[in-house]
Amino acid sequence: MPEQHFSEFHITIKHIRGVSSVGDETKIIAHHAKALQPQTALDMGCGTGFISIYLNTIGIDCEAVDINPNAVELTKENAKKNNIEIITYHSDLFQNISKKYDLITFNAPYGNTSSAKSSKVLEFIKSFIPKKTIITKISYYFIRKKRKELTKRFLEQAQSHLNENGKCILLMDNYEMDLLKEKKHMVLEPFFGGQIVLVES
Ligand SMILES: C[S@@+](CC[C@H](N)C(=O)[O-])C[C@H]1O[C@@H](n2cnc3c(N)ncnc32)[C@H](O)[C@@H]1O
């Protein structure tokens, strides 16, 4: 599946092994992001660039960040393919980000990395595992603590990168929902053992 046209979104995305491919959750997050009509957005963990590219094509100024340098390069290439320009960052979460946004999206990965090297290895291994299968479920069980740590770090840091009334849309596993205990949030829709959640600043 090297290149795929998403007719519903009017964009074409190239995939490469070692960069997380577009999944159903990617498309659901993109739909909800559009509905919020933010002026500015950041796609945290951009992967192929799908969310940021789509949002730019509908007039939302969306930047993109990933810890995996291959994902950053692919996002730039896919942006060009769709005739748009995107500001990209290579960063562990918000480490290299100084701006604030109306919306931040995060489709968190299975696994938790805070280095470019380990993220490249992890994404490469994962690209052999089909999404939403029993194998994903079993592997997830063993690494869910690590993923939760990443989601926790994201929620703590995102707070200072949101404009007034800013929001985050993210995929949270059921196991992670207690991280939202003290945060104003609503479930947008359930998704494969978790939910797509809107978190307010
Ligand atoms: C499940 S993929 C989502 C990709 C894309 N947003 C999508 O929805 O198709 C998660 C992405 O997060 C990136 N990632 C993992 N840890 C990260 C970190 N600490 N900081 C930034 N990005 C990270 C991975 O490299 C991967 O591209």
Side-chain angles (χ1 to χ4, degrees), residues 110-111 126 129-145 147 173 192-193:
Y110 288 99
K126 279 175 15 190
I129 304 173
K131 291 193 176 200
K132 286 209 289 177
T133 61
I134 190 71
I135 309 172
T136 338
K137 273 259 176 216
I138 295 167
S139 346
Y140 176 64
Y141 183 81
F142 291 103
I143 55 173
R144 62 184 188 164
K145 274 198 184 143
R147 186 188 195 269
D173 193 84
F192 190 61

Side-chain angles (χ1 to χ4, degrees), residues 136-168:
T136 338
K137 273 259 176 216
I138 295 167
S139 346
Y140 176 64
Y141 183 81
F142 291 103
I143 55 173
R144 62 184 188 164
K145 274 198 184 143
K146 285 279 179 196
R147 186 188 195 269
K148 189 172 181 176
E149 279 167 24
L150 181 66
T151 304
K152 183 168 184 276
R153 227 163 30 97
F154 169 83
L155 288 167
E156 285 163 0
Q157 296 178 19
Q159 194 62 33
S160 50
H161 291 276
L162 286 173
N163 288 327
E164 203 180 341
N165 299 321
K167 295 177 176 61
C168 294

